[in-house]
Amino acid sequence: MIEPVSIGLIGCGVISPAYLKAASTFNVLNFAACADIDAEASARCSENFDIPSMTVNELLARDDIEVILNLTIPSAHANVNLAALQSGKHAYCEKPFALNTVEGKRVIETAHERALRVGCAPDTFLGGGHQTVRNALDEGTVGIPIAGTAFMMNHGHESWHPNPAFYYQEGGGPLFDMGPYYLTALVNALGPVRRVAALTARAFDTRTIGSEPRRGEQIDVEVDTHTAGTLEFMNGAIVTVVMSFDVWLHSNRFIEIHGTNASLSSPDPNGFGGSVRVSRKDRTWDELPLTHGYLENMRSIGLADMCVGIRTGRSHRCSGELAYHVLEIMEAFGHSSATGEHIELTTTPDRPDPLPTGLAIGELD
């Protein structure tokens, strides 16, 4: 039996309950402390999940904590990761990995210098839906991948989120908020991206909050809210990606991959399960049986996988290198739009290892 890894949570906001609830599935995770710059948020987390609450500095100073789970806002991700690494702790953070590749590279280099691990969400590609997609591709179901599409289009988060301003600041927008789910799923399926060509725009300069407690408040839009790009993968596949907070409704599928033998329709990459469909030469959609489990909300499976890697020495699937590659893809959208050029990427991470089939819930190997 693997010895549990002691986890310190920094950032006790909206996403933290999903992590803490799912974490009970994995015996390798032991939450030892929580902290937030908002002491009330940390106190609520402590009360709801029976985790000792303390300040961020107190948590970072504890020698018994091995991993920091960083669930802060995007603008703090890199700095909190660096603080964790500099205190001798591994770091795992929510997406995006950083606001830009300069920040992200500093985190990667610091982890390497200190022989520590860094990981990053999303981990939804480890769910049964996208592991089934990966299995189908690896078995040659579609033949040679040629093309694909990925669509995430809605009208933003201000209608439901209690504090949505950061979605329209640097590190937000549809690409940095939702793009990591789609791009990580695509890299898991097809491998790394070679180059990017894109255009970006924004439809509104302000947004009106529709949720309590800030209903009616105007927030400034500081980032582009509609992005459309074409990715050329190292394997030759060409995939069209559209991420938007400017669309009221659409009828496109989440992700489709088209090959020499068949087309594959993938489920929502912001979830763990969902339907996987294939269309062969008969041109009808047939549902594929799911090859893997973990179909419910399993946020923390990526953290658990990293902790198993810490104990066993194997690589972890939601790696900093994968997240940095996705960050480089997203940053390339803006650079391409501004310059009118294709942007060649500098990183070529390996595809994450697929999960084995037949795992019991709570197992990762």
Side-chain angles (χ1 to χ4, degrees), residues 151-154 247-253:
F151 294 99
M152 193 301 301
M153 299 187 292
N154 60 39
V247 172
W248 293 107
L249 187 66
H250 73 96
S251 55
N252 298 289
R253 289 291 299 171

Side-chain angles (χ1 to χ4, degrees), residues 7 18-19 31 79 119 145 176 215 244 286 307 312-313 315 341 359:
I7 313 293
Y19 274 83
F31 279 88
N79 286 337
F176 273 68
R215 182 188 298 273
S244 183
D286 299 313
C307 289
T312 65
S315 61
E341 299 176 348
L359 293 176

Side-chain angles (χ1 to χ4, degrees), residues 28 126 131 134 143 151 173 177 285:
V28 73
L126 297 178
Q131 286 295 300
R134 171 69 180 268
F151 294 99
D177 175 44
W285 287 110

